[in-house]
Amino acid sequence: DGTIVARVTGLTNTNAWAKAGIMIRESLDANARNVALLLKPSNAISFQTRSAASGSTSIVTSKAATVPQWVKLVRAGNQFSAYLSADGVTWTLVGSTSNAMATTAYVGLAVTSHDSTLLNTATFDKVTVK
């Protein structure tokens, strides 16, 4: 069980599907089970999950959100909840999902340009892991 919190303060708009946010994943393998809460340059946030290794990633929910934004993922057993905040004090539940990950997991920051020819730069601050 644990929590990761971060504030995304910047994201390069390399592609409409570029993303920056936080992730909890079962392993460092490219096809690992994971959950992620990711901001997009199109002023949206996406809560997504891959519940089986080598499986497809599915969007649990998405909604409007702009950078800068606080993001939080909470793991309690196999239950994962995603939260969003403008100020880091008042949190709004984005969604929850179940994902049967191993007890030990990796947590961290995630960034993608969604374009293999472009490098994406994202900035974060206020990162905590408990």
Side-chain angles (χ1 to χ4, degrees):
D1 294 352
T3 301
I4 179 170
V5 175
R7 185 172 66 160
V8 181
T9 60
L11 169 61
T12 305
N13 187 357
T14 55
N15 183 287
W17 292 96
K19 299 175 194 80
I22 53 178
M23 178 180 282
I24 300 174
R25 56 187 303 117
E26 188 170 58
S27 75
L28 298 179
D29 295 340
N31 63 354
R33 291 179 181 164
N34 68 74
V35 295
L37 184 59
L38 305 163
L39 285 154
K40 299 188 288 187
S42 58
N43 296 327
I45 192 152
S46 179
F47 178 39
Q48 56 192 54
T49 186
R50 180 186 301 138
S51 58
S54 298
S56 298
T57 297
S58 60
I59 295 173
V60 177
T61 189
S62 61
K63 63 186 290 182
T66 57
V67 173
Q69 197 72 230
W70 290 77
V71 289
K72 175 167 65 172
L73 282 173
V74 178
R75 179 182 186 178
N78 290 332
Q79 189 69 24
F80 295 83
S81 299
Y83 298 87
L84 191 61
S85 175
D87 60 11
V89 176
T90 304
W91 294 92
T92 301
L93 179 67
V94 174
S96 295
T97 191
S98 182
N99 191 320
M101 273 189 223
T103 303
T104 301
Y106 294 85
V107 299
L109 308 175
V111 179
T112 179
S113 71
H114 206 76
D115 181 334
S116 61
T117 66
L118 297 172
L119 180 65
N120 191 343
T121 301
T123 53
F124 300 84
D125 67 7
K126 313 295 185 193
V127 179
T128 61
V129 177
K130 295 180 184 175

